Amino acid sequence: MDFPVRNDSGFTLIELLIALVISGILAGSIFQVIKGESIFVRMHSAQEEVQQNSRGALELIGSELRAVPPGGLETAEPDGLTVHAPRVWGLVCAAPSGGVITVVLPEVAGLNYTPTSGSGLAAYVTADSAWTSASATVTAVGPAATDCGGQPVAPGSVARTFSVASMATTAAGTAPAVGDPVYFFDRVSYELATSSRPGLWIRRKIGTGSFEPLAGPIAEDGLKFIYCCNSVGANFSSAAPLTPAERDSTTRIAIIVEAESHSTVNGIAQTEGDTTTVYLRNRLASW
């Protein structure tokens, strides 16, 4: 009597369960690896973002502070300041008359000298280029000319007439004379505040314009200025605005920026802090 041959080539229920468990473990491990890689990539991208934000802000603020002349620190607060940043200078080349001075200066394409446009440029006539309260704001600018007082100007230079609010703007308090230097400044302000974008931002204002976002988002208390030095070589108080006397004796400023990333990792923004110290122009002091 013949019996049917039994086919044992299939899988038992126990074998299928074991295979499912092993597959689940492998799938879970692969998912965790992929998730970890994704988090690492997002974290690295966020860190690069905050590094660029903090370093970019430091470079711009630092470059403007390095050119600040004596007396050019108008306001100095723990999280903001206003400075007078030199842009161009020239020489008086004709006798002033009726509130108008004629100056020969380098030809700078696109530079607008009138404060009504928002550039806020102002002229101060002195031998040492210091900014003081006697600075004369430019109210009107004449067209470029190739001669001054009947004399031709050098190639690459132009002569312009400037109407100023006051003629008594020299260091001696007298009207400028032929040969006196004339310095043109921007009034530049920085602050930490909210803007049209989410979070806190470092904002910058030039002249009579409005504050514009510069870098951000920034951490709470993520912009700090530390001013030095008092009579014993130590920092001034970092909790209050500087007095006029303290501003005039400031020789260097430490800038601290702590930026935050736009994106988050596990709901947490990445932060990165950076700092630099700037020596103001023509100011020497020992550490």
Side-chain angles (χ1 to χ4, degrees), residues 16-256:
L16 288 174
L17 290 174
I18 292 173
L20 287 173
V21 170
I22 294 174
S23 298
I25 293 173
L26 290 175
S29 299
I30 294 173
F31 174 78
Q32 290 298 325
V33 170
I34 295 174
K35 181 181 179 181
E37 289 291 331
S38 175
I39 292 175
F40 174 78
V41 170
R42 286 189 288 127
M43 185 178 296
H44 183 68
S45 176
Q47 288 175 343
E48 285 188 341
E49 174 194 331
V50 294
Q51 286 176 355
Q52 291 174 354
N53 279 343
S54 60
R55 290 176 183 175
L58 285 175
E59 288 177 4
L60 178 57
I61 298 173
S63 65
E64 290 192 317
L65 291 184
R66 289 185 183 94
V68 172
L73 193 58
E74 182 178 307
T75 63
E77 300 183 11
D79 59 354
L81 49 73
T82 297
V83 299
H84 303 112
R87 297 304 185 216
V88 67
W89 72 280
L91 296 172
V92 177
C93 58
S97 175
V100 176
I101 56 175
T102 306
V103 182
V104 60
L105 67 170
E107 187 171 13
V108 181
L111 184 61
N112 193 332
Y113 298 89
T114 55
T116 53
S117 67
S119 67
L121 285 173
Y124 180 63
V125 186
T126 180
D128 59 8
S129 76
W131 178 283
T132 73
S133 59
S135 59
T137 302
V138 175
T139 58
V141 183
T146 57
D147 69 283
C148 183
Q151 299 297 320
V153 300
S157 301
V158 294
R160 288 182 179 271
T161 58
F162 297 92
S163 298
V164 294
S166 172
M167 294 297 292
T169 54
T170 66
T174 59
V178 175
D180 280 339
V182 179
Y183 298 85
F184 295 88
F185 298 84
D186 268 329
R187 180 177 280 104
V188 182
S189 301
Y190 291 96
E191 68 171 12
L192 181 64
T194 57
S195 69
S196 57
R197 305 178 185 183
L200 291 171
W201 282 69
I202 297 176
R203 305 198 308 171
R204 178 174 180 260
K205 180 175 74 171
I206 300 179
T208 58
S210 57
F211 276 102
E212 299 292 341
L214 173 66
I218 302 297
E220 190 78 24
D221 297 325
L223 175 64
K224 294 181 181 178
F225 296 100
I226 300 175
Y227 307 92
C228 189
C229 297
N230 59 25
S231 59
V232 295
N235 295 333
F236 294 113
S237 170
S238 60
L242 267 60
T243 65
E246 290 172 337
R247 293 199 305 268
D248 289 343
S249 60
T250 296
T251 58
R252 59 183 180 268
I253 302 174
I255 312 166
I256 303 172

